[in-house]
PDB file of all heavy atoms in Angstrom:
ATOM      1  N   LEU W   5     111.735  73.738  84.788  1.00  0.00           N
ATOM      2  CA  LEU W   5     110.161  73.681  84.409  1.00  0.00           C
ATOM      3  C   LEU W   5     110.026  72.389  83.678  1.00  0.00           C
ATOM      4  O   LEU W   5     109.093  71.817  83.817  1.00  0.00           O
ATOM      5  CB  LEU W   5     109.839  74.921  83.593  1.00  0.00           C
ATOM      6  CG  LEU W   5     110.050  76.352  84.226  1.00  0.00           C
ATOM      7  CD1 LEU W   5     109.726  77.402  83.346  1.00  0.00           C
ATOM      8  CD2 LEU W   5     109.369  76.359  85.475  1.00  0.00           C
ATOM      9  N   SER W  16      99.390  63.483  90.550  1.00  0.00           N
ATOM     10  CA  SER W  16      97.948  63.582  90.763  1.00  0.00           C
ATOM     11  C   SER W  16      97.448  63.270  92.120  1.00  0.00           C
ATOM     12  O   SER W  16      96.314  63.470  92.481  1.00  0.00           O
ATOM     13  CB  SER W  16      97.437  62.555  89.836  1.00  0.00           C
ATOM     14  OG  SER W  16      98.255  61.409  89.858  1.00  0.00           O
ATOM     15  N   ILE W  19      94.920  65.699  94.637  1.00  0.00           N
ATOM     16  CA  ILE W  19      93.456  65.933  94.792  1.00  0.00           C
ATOM     17  C   ILE W  19      93.025  65.535  96.334  1.00  0.00           C
ATOM     18  O   ILE W  19      92.589  66.255  97.022  1.00  0.00           O
ATOM     19  CB  ILE W  19      92.792  65.076  93.831  1.00  0.00           C
ATOM     20  CG1 ILE W  19      93.146  65.489  92.423  1.00  0.00           C
ATOM     21  CG2 ILE W  19      91.264  65.184  94.090  1.00  0.00           C
ATOM     22  CD1 ILE W  19      92.665  66.878  92.065  1.00  0.00           C
ATOM     23  N   GLN W  52      85.031  69.390  95.485  1.00  0.00           N
ATOM     24  CA  GLN W  52      86.465  69.740  95.438  1.00  0.00           C
ATOM     25  C   GLN W  52      86.527  71.258  95.205  1.00  0.00           C
ATOM     26  O   GLN W  52      87.233  72.026  95.741  1.00  0.00           O
ATOM     27  CB  GLN W  52      87.328  68.894  94.512  1.00  0.00           C
ATOM     28  CG  GLN W  52      88.815  69.240  94.528  1.00  0.00           C
ATOM     29  CD  GLN W  52      89.487  68.793  93.398  1.00  0.00           C
ATOM     30  OE1 GLN W  52      88.888  68.315  92.348  1.00  0.00           O
ATOM     31  NE2 GLN W  52      90.781  68.755  93.442  1.00  0.00           N
ATOM     32  N   ILE W  53      85.703  71.660  94.154  1.00  0.00           N
ATOM     33  CA  ILE W  53      85.846  72.937  93.703  1.00  0.00           C
ATOM     34  C   ILE W  53      85.207  73.900  94.658  1.00  0.00           C
ATOM     35  O   ILE W  53      85.773  74.928  94.890  1.00  0.00           O
ATOM     36  CB  ILE W  53      85.041  73.111  92.445  1.00  0.00           C
ATOM     37  CG1 ILE W  53      85.905  72.408  91.204  1.00  0.00           C
ATOM     38  CG2 ILE W  53      84.672  74.493  91.966  1.00  0.00           C
ATOM     39  CD1 ILE W  53      85.235  72.169  89.890  1.00  0.00           C
ATOM     40  N   LEU W  56      87.835  74.535  97.065  1.00  0.00           N
ATOM     41  CA  LEU W  56      88.949  75.319  96.646  1.00  0.00           C
ATOM     42  C   LEU W  56      88.412  76.848  96.586  1.00  0.00           C
ATOM     43  O   LEU W  56      89.281  77.811  97.011  1.00  0.00           O
ATOM     44  CB  LEU W  56      89.160  75.030  95.116  1.00  0.00           C
ATOM     45  CG  LEU W  56      90.008  73.669  94.856  1.00  0.00           C
ATOM     46  CD1 LEU W  56      90.029  73.461  93.382  1.00  0.00           C
ATOM     47  CD2 LEU W  56      91.334  73.975  95.411  1.00  0.00           C
ATOM     48  N   THR W  59      88.991  78.240  99.859  1.00  0.00           N
ATOM     49  CA  THR W  59      90.431  78.718 100.150  1.00  0.00           C
ATOM     50  C   THR W  59      90.645  79.987  99.493  1.00  0.00           C
ATOM     51  O   THR W  59      91.363  80.764 100.096  1.00  0.00           O
ATOM     52  CB  THR W  59      91.425  77.631  99.726  1.00  0.00           C
ATOM     53  OG1 THR W  59      91.291  77.442  98.390  1.00  0.00           O
ATOM     54  CG2 THR W  59      91.192  76.336 100.550  1.00  0.00           C
ATOM     55  N   SER W  60      90.091  80.258  98.348  1.00  0.00           N
ATOM     56  CA  SER W  60      90.430  81.492  97.729  1.00  0.00           C
ATOM     57  C   SER W  60      89.903  82.716  98.484  1.00  0.00           C
ATOM     58  O   SER W  60      90.665  83.691  98.613  1.00  0.00           O
ATOM     59  CB  SER W  60      89.642  81.590  96.393  1.00  0.00           C
ATOM     60  OG  SER W  60      90.258  80.774  95.413  1.00  0.00           O
ATOM     61  N   ARG W  64      92.381  85.690 100.083  1.00  0.00           N
ATOM     62  CA  ARG W  64      92.166  87.213  99.977  1.00  0.00           C
ATOM     63  C   ARG W  64      92.005  87.873 101.360  1.00  0.00           C
ATOM     64  O   ARG W  64      92.755  88.760 101.497  1.00  0.00           O
ATOM     65  CB  ARG W  64      90.870  87.227  99.131  1.00  0.00           C
ATOM     66  CG  ARG W  64      90.919  87.145  97.771  1.00  0.00           C
ATOM     67  CD  ARG W  64      89.728  87.745  97.043  1.00  0.00           C
ATOM     68  NE  ARG W  64      88.584  86.833  97.173  1.00  0.00           N
ATOM     69  CZ  ARG W  64      88.396  85.810  96.126  1.00  0.00           C
ATOM     70  NH1 ARG W  64      89.350  85.505  95.141  1.00  0.00           N
ATOM     71  NH2 ARG W  64      87.341  84.953  96.275  1.00  0.00           N
ATOM     72  N   GLU W  78     111.984 101.678  96.667  1.00  0.00           N
ATOM     73  CA  GLU W  78     112.627 102.063  95.308  1.00  0.00           C
ATOM     74  C   GLU W  78     114.040 102.430  95.600  1.00  0.00           C
ATOM     75  O   GLU W  78     114.248 103.182  96.618  1.00  0.00           O
ATOM     76  CB  GLU W  78     111.851 103.107  94.542  1.00  0.00           C
ATOM     77  CG  GLU W  78     110.451 102.615  94.060  1.00  0.00           C
ATOM     78  CD  GLU W  78     109.954 103.570  92.998  1.00  0.00           C
ATOM     79  OE1 GLU W  78     110.504 103.648  91.939  1.00  0.00           O
ATOM     80  OE2 GLU W  78     108.907 104.104  93.297  1.00  0.00           O
ATOM     81  N   GLY W  81     119.858 105.067  91.368  1.00  0.00           N
ATOM     82  CA  GLY W  81     121.280 104.977  91.086  1.00  0.00           C
ATOM     83  C   GLY W  81     121.821 103.734  91.496  1.00  0.00           C
ATOM     84  O   GLY W  81     121.181 102.708  91.629  1.00  0.00           O
ATOM     85  N   GLU W  98     116.697  95.295  90.710  1.00  0.00           N
ATOM     86  CA  GLU W  98     116.062  96.638  90.151  1.00  0.00           C
ATOM     87  C   GLU W  98     114.658  96.725  90.423  1.00  0.00           C
ATOM     88  O   GLU W  98     114.037  95.666  90.595  1.00  0.00           O
ATOM     89  CB  GLU W  98     116.468  96.656  88.642  1.00  0.00           C
ATOM     90  CG  GLU W  98     117.668  97.533  88.443  1.00  0.00           C
ATOM     91  CD  GLU W  98     117.748  97.781  86.869  1.00  0.00           C
ATOM     92  OE1 GLU W  98     116.645  97.762  86.320  1.00  0.00           O
ATOM     93  OE2 GLU W  98     118.784  98.110  86.451  1.00  0.00           O
ATOM     94  N   GLN W 139     117.030 105.139 105.571  1.00  0.00           N
ATOM     95  CA  GLN W 139     118.374 104.756 105.931  1.00  0.00           C
ATOM     96  C   GLN W 139     118.565 103.388 105.993  1.00  0.00           C
ATOM     97  O   GLN W 139     117.603 102.594 106.482  1.00  0.00           O
ATOM     98  CB  GLN W 139     118.728 105.379 107.288  1.00  0.00           C
ATOM     99  CG  GLN W 139     118.421 106.832 107.455  1.00  0.00           C
ATOM    100  CD  GLN W 139     119.609 107.596 106.780  1.00  0.00           C
ATOM    101  OE1 GLN W 139     120.683 107.225 106.581  1.00  0.00           O
ATOM    102  NE2 GLN W 139     119.107 108.815 106.349  1.00  0.00           N
ATOM    103  N   TYR W 184     106.141  93.567  90.791  1.00  0.00           N
ATOM    104  CA  TYR W 184     105.727  93.663  89.496  1.00  0.00           C
ATOM    105  C   TYR W 184     105.285  95.144  89.179  1.00  0.00           C
ATOM    106  O   TYR W 184     104.872  95.432  88.043  1.00  0.00           O
ATOM    107  CB  TYR W 184     104.496  92.750  89.173  1.00  0.00           C
ATOM    108  CG  TYR W 184     105.005  91.351  89.117  1.00  0.00           C
ATOM    109  CD1 TYR W 184     104.371  90.407  90.124  1.00  0.00           C
ATOM    110  CD2 TYR W 184     105.781  90.854  88.127  1.00  0.00           C
ATOM    111  CE1 TYR W 184     104.931  89.092  89.942  1.00  0.00           C
ATOM    112  CE2 TYR W 184     106.254  89.509  88.036  1.00  0.00           C
ATOM    113  CZ  TYR W 184     105.760  88.635  88.990  1.00  0.00           C
ATOM    114  OH  TYR W 184     106.174  87.377  88.863  1.00  0.00           O
ATOM    115  N   ASP W 186     103.197  97.184  90.653  1.00  0.00           N
ATOM    116  CA  ASP W 186     101.800  97.749  91.202  1.00  0.00           C
ATOM    117  C   ASP W 186     101.990  98.136  92.657  1.00  0.00           C
ATOM    118  O   ASP W 186     102.774  97.498  93.415  1.00  0.00           O
ATOM    119  CB  ASP W 186     100.829  96.615  91.006  1.00  0.00           C
ATOM    120  CG  ASP W 186      99.915  96.830  89.743  1.00  0.00           C
ATOM    121  OD1 ASP W 186      99.077  97.643  89.693  1.00  0.00           O
ATOM    122  OD2 ASP W 186     100.252  96.052  88.779  1.00  0.00           O
ATOM    123  N   PRO W 189     100.034  94.107  95.886  1.00  0.00           N
ATOM    124  CA  PRO W 189     101.133  92.996  95.793  1.00  0.00           C
ATOM    125  C   PRO W 189     100.537  91.938  94.930  1.00  0.00           C
ATOM    126  O   PRO W 189      99.249  91.628  94.924  1.00  0.00           O
ATOM    127  CB  PRO W 189     101.370  92.522  97.231  1.00  0.00           C
ATOM    128  CG  PRO W 189     100.112  92.920  97.932  1.00  0.00           C
ATOM    129  CD  PRO W 189      99.501  94.132  97.147  1.00  0.00           C
ATOM    130  N   ILE W 191     100.249  87.935  94.701  1.00  0.00           N
ATOM    131  CA  ILE W 191     100.244  86.818  95.669  1.00  0.00           C
ATOM    132  C   ILE W 191     100.504  85.463  95.008  1.00  0.00           C
ATOM    133  O   ILE W 191     100.127  85.377  93.902  1.00  0.00           O
ATOM    134  CB  ILE W 191      98.999  86.743  96.612  1.00  0.00           C
ATOM    135  CG1 ILE W 191      97.810  86.422  95.734  1.00  0.00           C
ATOM    136  CG2 ILE W 191      98.778  88.073  97.207  1.00  0.00           C
ATOM    137  CD1 ILE W 191      96.460  86.156  96.429  1.00  0.00           C
ATOM    138  N   SER W 192     101.135  84.619  95.725  1.00  0.00           N
ATOM    139  CA  SER W 192     101.292  83.293  95.174  1.00  0.00           C
ATOM    140  C   SER W 192     101.102  82.286  96.376  1.00  0.00           C
ATOM    141  O   SER W 192     101.582  82.557  97.584  1.00  0.00           O
ATOM    142  CB  SER W 192     102.735  83.108  94.666  1.00  0.00           C
ATOM    143  OG  SER W 192     103.009  81.764  94.385  1.00  0.00           O
ATOM    144  N   MET W 193     100.456  81.221  96.115  1.00  0.00           N
ATOM    145  CA  MET W 193     100.088  80.272  97.281  1.00  0.00           C
ATOM    146  C   MET W 193     101.000  78.983  97.144  1.00  0.00           C
ATOM    147  O   MET W 193     101.407  78.678  96.027  1.00  0.00           O
ATOM    148  CB  MET W 193      98.745  80.003  97.290  1.00  0.00           C
ATOM    149  CG  MET W 193      98.170  79.297  96.271  1.00  0.00           C
ATOM    150  SD  MET W 193      98.302  77.489  96.104  1.00  0.00           S
ATOM    151  CE  MET W 193      98.577  77.203  94.319  1.00  0.00           C
ATOM    152  N   ASP W 210     106.992  76.067  98.765  1.00  0.00           N
ATOM    153  CA  ASP W 210     106.820  75.875  97.251  1.00  0.00           C
ATOM    154  C   ASP W 210     105.956  77.030  96.733  1.00  0.00           C
ATOM    155  O   ASP W 210     105.586  76.975  95.495  1.00  0.00           O
ATOM    156  CB  ASP W 210     106.337  74.526  96.889  1.00  0.00           C
ATOM    157  CG  ASP W 210     104.852  74.277  97.232  1.00  0.00           C
ATOM    158  OD1 ASP W 210     104.258  75.123  97.981  1.00  0.00           O
ATOM    159  OD2 ASP W 210     104.272  73.430  96.669  1.00  0.00           O
ATOM    160  N   ASN W 212     105.563  80.484  94.936  1.00  0.00           N
ATOM    161  CA  ASN W 212     106.593  81.155  94.066  1.00  0.00           C
ATOM    162  C   ASN W 212     107.255  82.207  94.927  1.00  0.00           C
ATOM    163  O   ASN W 212     106.721  83.236  95.525  1.00  0.00           O
ATOM    164  CB  ASN W 212     105.843  81.980  92.918  1.00  0.00           C
ATOM    165  CG  ASN W 212     105.475  80.913  91.873  1.00  0.00           C
ATOM    166  OD1 ASN W 212     105.769  79.788  92.048  1.00  0.00           O
ATOM    167  ND2 ASN W 212     104.782  81.297  90.924  1.00  0.00           N
ATOM    168  N   ARG W 392     123.870 111.982 100.096  1.00  0.00           N
ATOM    169  CA  ARG W 392     124.652 113.298 100.052  1.00  0.00           C
ATOM    170  C   ARG W 392     123.839 114.255 100.872  1.00  0.00           C
ATOM    171  O   ARG W 392     122.556 114.153 100.977  1.00  0.00           O
ATOM    172  CB  ARG W 392     124.808 113.730  98.669  1.00  0.00           C
ATOM    173  CG  ARG W 392     126.058 113.315  98.190  1.00  0.00           C
ATOM    174  CD  ARG W 392     126.108 113.411  96.680  1.00  0.00           C
ATOM    175  NE  ARG W 392     126.242 114.896  96.232  1.00  0.00           N
ATOM    176  CZ  ARG W 392     126.433 115.225  94.952  1.00  0.00           C
ATOM    177  NH1 ARG W 392     126.582 114.312  93.980  1.00  0.00           N
ATOM    178  NH2 ARG W 392     126.588 116.481  94.697  1.00  0.00           N
TER     179      ARG W 392
ATOM    180  N   PHE H   6     106.387  67.665  96.566  1.00  0.00           N
ATOM    181  CA  PHE H   6     106.457  69.146  97.044  1.00  0.00           C
ATOM    182  C   PHE H   6     106.050  70.143  95.998  1.00  0.00           C
ATOM    183  O   PHE H   6     105.326  71.031  96.282  1.00  0.00           O
ATOM    184  CB  PHE H   6     107.915  69.592  97.554  1.00  0.00           C
ATOM    185  CG  PHE H   6     108.177  69.107  98.953  1.00  0.00           C
ATOM    186  CD1 PHE H   6     109.306  68.508  99.219  1.00  0.00           C
ATOM    187  CD2 PHE H   6     107.223  69.073  99.833  1.00  0.00           C
ATOM    188  CE1 PHE H   6     109.667  68.011 100.357  1.00  0.00           C
ATOM    189  CE2 PHE H   6     107.446  68.582 101.171  1.00  0.00           C
ATOM    190  CZ  PHE H   6     108.718  68.004 101.444  1.00  0.00           C
ATOM    191  N   ILE H   9     102.025  70.231  93.823  1.00  0.00           N
ATOM    192  CA  ILE H   9     100.717  70.822  94.199  1.00  0.00           C
ATOM    193  C   ILE H   9     100.063  71.592  93.026  1.00  0.00           C
ATOM    194  O   ILE H   9      98.853  71.622  92.774  1.00  0.00           O
ATOM    195  CB  ILE H   9     100.794  71.753  95.330  1.00  0.00           C
ATOM    196  CG1 ILE H   9     101.691  70.991  96.416  1.00  0.00           C
ATOM    197  CG2 ILE H   9      99.445  72.204  95.902  1.00  0.00           C
ATOM    198  CD1 ILE H   9     102.311  72.167  97.115  1.00  0.00           C
ATOM    199  N   GLY H  16      97.922  61.606  84.729  1.00  0.00           N
ATOM    200  CA  GLY H  16      98.225  61.360  86.182  1.00  0.00           C
ATOM    201  C   GLY H  16      96.838  61.299  86.869  1.00  0.00           C
ATOM    202  O   GLY H  16      96.651  60.538  87.791  1.00  0.00           O
ATOM    203  N   VAL H  27      88.104  61.212  95.128  1.00  0.00           N
ATOM    204  CA  VAL H  27      87.861  61.691  93.735  1.00  0.00           C
ATOM    205  C   VAL H  27      87.024  60.779  93.017  1.00  0.00           C
ATOM    206  O   VAL H  27      86.150  60.978  92.128  1.00  0.00           O
ATOM    207  CB  VAL H  27      89.165  62.013  93.073  1.00  0.00           C
ATOM    208  CG1 VAL H  27      88.898  62.349  91.605  1.00  0.00           C
ATOM    209  CG2 VAL H  27      89.857  62.944  93.693  1.00  0.00           C
ATOM    210  N   GLY H  36      81.737  68.325  90.786  1.00  0.00           N
ATOM    211  CA  GLY H  36      82.553  69.500  91.241  1.00  0.00           C
ATOM    212  C   GLY H  36      84.046  69.126  91.401  1.00  0.00           C
ATOM    213  O   GLY H  36      84.583  69.524  92.353  1.00  0.00           O
ATOM    214  N   LEU H  38      88.107  69.024  89.794  1.00  0.00           N
ATOM    215  CA  LEU H  38      88.980  69.632  88.801  1.00  0.00           C
ATOM    216  C   LEU H  38      89.054  68.745  87.683  1.00  0.00           C
ATOM    217  O   LEU H  38      89.252  69.098  86.513  1.00  0.00           O
ATOM    218  CB  LEU H  38      90.356  69.995  89.470  1.00  0.00           C
ATOM    219  CG  LEU H  38      90.454  71.107  90.364  1.00  0.00           C
ATOM    220  CD1 LEU H  38      91.891  71.234  90.892  1.00  0.00           C
ATOM    221  CD2 LEU H  38      90.082  72.411  89.614  1.00  0.00           C
ATOM    222  N   GLN H 134      91.727  88.350  92.370  1.00  0.00           N
ATOM    223  CA  GLN H 134      92.981  87.845  92.976  1.00  0.00           C
ATOM    224  C   GLN H 134      92.725  86.803  94.012  1.00  0.00           C
ATOM    225  O   GLN H 134      91.752  86.896  94.749  1.00  0.00           O
ATOM    226  CB  GLN H 134      93.601  88.976  93.723  1.00  0.00           C
ATOM    227  CG  GLN H 134      94.974  88.733  94.341  1.00  0.00           C
ATOM    228  CD  GLN H 134      95.669  89.883  94.957  1.00  0.00           C
ATOM    229  OE1 GLN H 134      95.095  90.559  95.740  1.00  0.00           O
ATOM    230  NE2 GLN H 134      96.948  90.181  94.519  1.00  0.00           N
ATOM    231  N   GLY H 135      93.425  85.704  93.977  1.00  0.00           N
ATOM    232  CA  GLY H 135      93.273  84.589  94.908  1.00  0.00           C
ATOM    233  C   GLY H 135      92.503  83.464  94.391  1.00  0.00           C
ATOM    234  O   GLY H 135      92.355  82.350  94.940  1.00  0.00           O
ATOM    235  N   ASP H 136      91.698  83.698  93.358  1.00  0.00           N
ATOM    236  CA  ASP H 136      90.913  82.575  92.649  1.00  0.00           C
ATOM    237  C   ASP H 136      91.779  81.532  92.144  1.00  0.00           C
ATOM    238  O   ASP H 136      92.789  81.773  91.460  1.00  0.00           O
ATOM    239  CB  ASP H 136      90.132  83.192  91.526  1.00  0.00           C
ATOM    240  CG  ASP H 136      88.797  83.876  92.034  1.00  0.00           C
ATOM    241  OD1 ASP H 136      88.496  83.771  93.204  1.00  0.00           O
ATOM    242  OD2 ASP H 136      88.131  84.543  91.270  1.00  0.00           O
ATOM    243  N   TRP H 137      91.359  80.276  92.241  1.00  0.00           N
ATOM    244  CA  TRP H 137      92.075  79.129  91.687  1.00  0.00           C
ATOM    245  C   TRP H 137      91.789  79.106  90.225  1.00  0.00           C
ATOM    246  O   TRP H 137      90.689  79.402  89.723  1.00  0.00           O
ATOM    247  CB  TRP H 137      91.657  77.796  92.230  1.00  0.00           C
ATOM    248  CG  TRP H 137      92.014  77.590  93.656  1.00  0.00           C
ATOM    249  CD1 TRP H 137      91.306  77.931  94.764  1.00  0.00           C
ATOM    250  CD2 TRP H 137      93.257  77.040  94.144  1.00  0.00           C
ATOM    251  NE1 TRP H 137      92.078  77.643  95.880  1.00  0.00           N
ATOM    252  CE2 TRP H 137      93.191  77.080  95.600  1.00  0.00           C
ATOM    253  CE3 TRP H 137      94.448  76.594  93.466  1.00  0.00           C
ATOM    254  CZ2 TRP H 137      94.234  76.552  96.354  1.00  0.00           C
ATOM    255  CZ3 TRP H 137      95.356  76.035  94.428  1.00  0.00           C
ATOM    256  CH2 TRP H 137      95.288  76.142  95.733  1.00  0.00           C
ATOM    257  N   SER H 162      97.404  85.827  90.727  1.00  0.00           N
ATOM    258  CA  SER H 162      98.230  86.552  91.604  1.00  0.00           C
ATOM    259  C   SER H 162      97.981  88.080  91.639  1.00  0.00           C
ATOM    260  O   SER H 162      98.175  88.685  92.758  1.00  0.00           O
ATOM    261  CB  SER H 162      99.729  86.476  91.042  1.00  0.00           C
ATOM    262  OG  SER H 162     100.243  85.093  91.299  1.00  0.00           O
ATOM    263  N   SER H 165      96.167  93.299  86.590  1.00  0.00           N
ATOM    264  CA  SER H 165      96.973  94.489  86.297  1.00  0.00           C
ATOM    265  C   SER H 165      96.806  95.139  84.898  1.00  0.00           C
ATOM    266  O   SER H 165      95.901  94.654  84.112  1.00  0.00           O
ATOM    267  CB  SER H 165      98.523  94.304  86.515  1.00  0.00           C
ATOM    268  OG  SER H 165      99.226  95.396  86.575  1.00  0.00           O
ATOM    269  N   LEU H 171     103.821  97.164  83.629  1.00  0.00           N
ATOM    270  CA  LEU H 171     104.668  96.071  83.400  1.00  0.00           C
ATOM    271  C   LEU H 171     105.655  96.252  82.051  1.00  0.00           C
ATOM    272  O   LEU H 171     105.004  96.650  81.120  1.00  0.00           O
ATOM    273  CB  LEU H 171     103.924  94.744  83.278  1.00  0.00           C
ATOM    274  CG  LEU H 171     103.075  94.450  84.590  1.00  0.00           C
ATOM    275  CD1 LEU H 171     102.100  93.376  84.254  1.00  0.00           C
ATOM    276  CD2 LEU H 171     104.016  94.061  85.699  1.00  0.00           C
ATOM    277  N   ASP H 186      99.959  82.303  89.356  1.00  0.00           N
ATOM    278  CA  ASP H 186     101.277  81.670  89.956  1.00  0.00           C
ATOM    279  C   ASP H 186     101.509  80.281  89.521  1.00  0.00           C
ATOM    280  O   ASP H 186     102.527  79.538  89.962  1.00  0.00           O
ATOM    281  CB  ASP H 186     101.252  81.782  91.480  1.00  0.00           C
ATOM    282  CG  ASP H 186     100.432  80.867  92.206  1.00  0.00           C
ATOM    283  OD1 ASP H 186      99.474  80.252  91.512  1.00  0.00           O
ATOM    284  OD2 ASP H 186     100.533  80.749  93.442  1.00  0.00           O
ATOM    285  N   ASN H 191     106.490  79.254  79.216  1.00  0.00           N
ATOM    286  CA  ASN H 191     107.394  78.244  78.577  1.00  0.00           C
ATOM    287  C   ASN H 191     106.966  78.026  77.011  1.00  0.00           C
ATOM    288  O   ASN H 191     105.863  78.324  76.762  1.00  0.00           O
ATOM    289  CB  ASN H 191     107.173  76.970  79.337  1.00  0.00           C
ATOM    290  CG  ASN H 191     108.058  76.789  80.537  1.00  0.00           C
ATOM    291  OD1 ASN H 191     109.181  77.323  80.487  1.00  0.00           O
ATOM    292  ND2 ASN H 191     107.474  76.462  81.650  1.00  0.00           N
ATOM    293  N   GLU H 218     111.067  95.034  85.195  1.00  0.00           N
ATOM    294  CA  GLU H 218     111.176  95.500  86.572  1.00  0.00           C
ATOM    295  C   GLU H 218     112.143  94.549  87.412  1.00  0.00           C
ATOM    296  O   GLU H 218     112.984  94.949  88.091  1.00  0.00           O
ATOM    297  CB  GLU H 218     109.868  95.489  87.308  1.00  0.00           C
ATOM    298  CG  GLU H 218     108.876  96.602  86.714  1.00  0.00           C
ATOM    299  CD  GLU H 218     109.429  98.016  87.266  1.00  0.00           C
ATOM    300  OE1 GLU H 218     109.894  98.014  88.381  1.00  0.00           O
ATOM    301  OE2 GLU H 218     109.142  98.887  86.485  1.00  0.00           O
ATOM    302  N   LEU H 223     107.262  86.444  83.352  1.00  0.00           N
ATOM    303  CA  LEU H 223     105.985  86.652  83.873  1.00  0.00           C
ATOM    304  C   LEU H 223     104.988  85.545  83.336  1.00  0.00           C
ATOM    305  O   LEU H 223     105.056  85.098  82.266  1.00  0.00           O
ATOM    306  CB  LEU H 223     105.454  88.003  83.283  1.00  0.00           C
ATOM    307  CG  LEU H 223     105.834  89.131  83.803  1.00  0.00           C
ATOM    308  CD1 LEU H 223     105.103  90.380  83.044  1.00  0.00           C
ATOM    309  CD2 LEU H 223     105.549  89.357  85.247  1.00  0.00           C
ATOM    310  N   ASP H 294     122.081 119.785  93.872  1.00  0.00           N
ATOM    311  CA  ASP H 294     122.159 118.644  94.963  1.00  0.00           C
ATOM    312  C   ASP H 294     120.796 118.061  95.353  1.00  0.00           C
ATOM    313  O   ASP H 294     120.816 117.047  95.994  1.00  0.00           O
ATOM    314  CB  ASP H 294     122.882 119.081  96.140  1.00  0.00           C
ATOM    315  CG  ASP H 294     124.335 118.847  96.176  1.00  0.00           C
ATOM    316  OD1 ASP H 294     124.840 118.378  95.031  1.00  0.00           O
ATOM    317  OD2 ASP H 294     125.050 118.782  97.183  1.00  0.00           O
ATOM    318  N   LYS H 304     109.444 106.282  87.662  1.00  0.00           N
ATOM    319  CA  LYS H 304     110.708 106.273  88.458  1.00  0.00           C
ATOM    320  C   LYS H 304     111.952 106.917  87.644  1.00  0.00           C
ATOM    321  O   LYS H 304     112.052 106.516  86.430  1.00  0.00           O
ATOM    322  CB  LYS H 304     110.930 104.920  88.901  1.00  0.00           C
ATOM    323  CG  LYS H 304     112.263 104.733  89.669  1.00  0.00           C
ATOM    324  CD  LYS H 304     112.289 103.338  90.200  1.00  0.00           C
ATOM    325  CE  LYS H 304     113.684 103.105  90.544  1.00  0.00           C
ATOM    326  NZ  LYS H 304     113.841 101.693  91.087  1.00  0.00           N
ATOM    327  N   ALA H 306     115.528 106.582  87.996  1.00  0.00           N
ATOM    328  CA  ALA H 306     116.473 105.892  88.901  1.00  0.00           C
ATOM    329  C   ALA H 306     117.902 106.391  88.459  1.00  0.00           C
ATOM    330  O   ALA H 306     118.893 106.237  89.206  1.00  0.00           O
ATOM    331  CB  ALA H 306     116.443 104.431  88.502  1.00  0.00           C
ATOM    332  N   ASN H 332     117.031 114.612 103.825  1.00  0.00           N
ATOM    333  CA  ASN H 332     116.287 113.154 104.068  1.00  0.00           C
ATOM    334  C   ASN H 332     114.858 113.402 103.716  1.00  0.00           C
ATOM    335  O   ASN H 332     114.069 112.440 104.164  1.00  0.00           O
ATOM    336  CB  ASN H 332     116.426 112.800 105.418  1.00  0.00           C
ATOM    337  CG  ASN H 332     117.328 111.527 105.563  1.00  0.00           C
ATOM    338  OD1 ASN H 332     117.752 110.953 104.639  1.00  0.00           O
ATOM    339  ND2 ASN H 332     117.734 111.191 106.855  1.00  0.00           N
TER     340      ASN H 332
END
Side-chain angles (χ1 to χ4, degrees):
Chain W
L5 304 180
S16 38
I19 300 291
Q52 184 195 17
I53 286 169
L56 283 176
T59 59
S60 288
R64 284 192 281 274
E78 287 197 69
E98 262 194 20
Q139 303 286 331
Y184 287 115
D186 265 281
I191 64 173
S192 172
M193 63 78 215
D210 72 347
N212 288 351
R392 267 165 77 170
Chain H
F6 281 141
I9 307 151
V27 178
L38 286 178
Q134 189 178 47
D136 279 348
W137 291 93
S162 291
S165 192
L171 303 164
D186 76 345
N191 277 315
E218 294 284 328
L223 283 182
D294 264 11
K304 174 175 164 178
N332 246 352

